[in-house]
């Protein structure tokens, strides 16, 4: 827990938050929301030696979120046909895609 506290108390928190939120689009198991809330709480409470600016922290998280969504959209748009062909070749992946489609419907 001390390492998290020292990370929140350093200027690197902006890069870590941005990277975490950006990668959260592709790996939703990353705790980016928790990291953003922890950094914002530390900024509001002024518990760290280096206090991150709340506005910059919010802009980093929002920009990374939008960029992650745009990158995911572009990857799906450009690679959609190749992904469909790869899924069609595998019976297991095709079944998983059908189950996912049924669950979403």
């Amino acid at each position: 827990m001390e390492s998290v506290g020292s990370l929140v108390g350093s200027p690197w928190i902006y890069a870590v938050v941005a990277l975490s939120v950006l990668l959260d689009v592709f790996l939703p198991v990353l705790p980016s929301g928790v990291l953003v809330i922890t950094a914002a709480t530390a900024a509001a409470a002024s518990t760290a030696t280096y206090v991150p600016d709340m506005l910059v922290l919010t802009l980093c998280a929002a920009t990374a979120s939008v960029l992650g969504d745009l990158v995911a959209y572009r990857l799906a748009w450009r690679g959609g046909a190749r992904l469909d062909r790869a899924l069609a070749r595998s019976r297991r992946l095709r079944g998983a895609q059908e189950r996912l489609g049924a669950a979403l419907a």
Side-chain angles (χ1 to χ4, degrees):
M1 197 65 178
E2 285 183 28
S3 62
V4 173
S6 65
L7 177 64
V8 170
S10 75
W12 284 97
I13 190 64
Y14 303 118
V16 171
V17 164
L19 186 64
S20 176
V21 170
L22 182 72
L23 292 178
D24 190 38
V25 173
F26 303 102
L27 301 169
V29 297
L30 287 176
S32 64
V34 173
L35 181 63
V36 171
I37 291 170
T38 303
T41 303
S46 300
T47 59
T49 55
Y50 171 82
V51 180
D53 186 18
M54 191 72 83
L55 179 63
V56 176
L57 190 65
T58 304
L59 287 174
C60 282
T63 303
S65 179
V66 170
L67 285 177
D69 288 345
L70 288 174
V71 168
Y73 174 77
R74 292 296 275 176
L75 285 174
W77 184 68
R78 296 192 75 153
R82 277 185 277 179
L83 182 62
D84 286 340
R85 285 193 303 270
L87 288 174
R89 284 193 299 260
S90 171
R91 186 175 1 152
R92 196 171 110 213
L93 290 176
R94 190 173 51 240
Q97 183 183 26
E98 289 169 2
R99 286 191 305 276
L100 179 62
L104 290 175

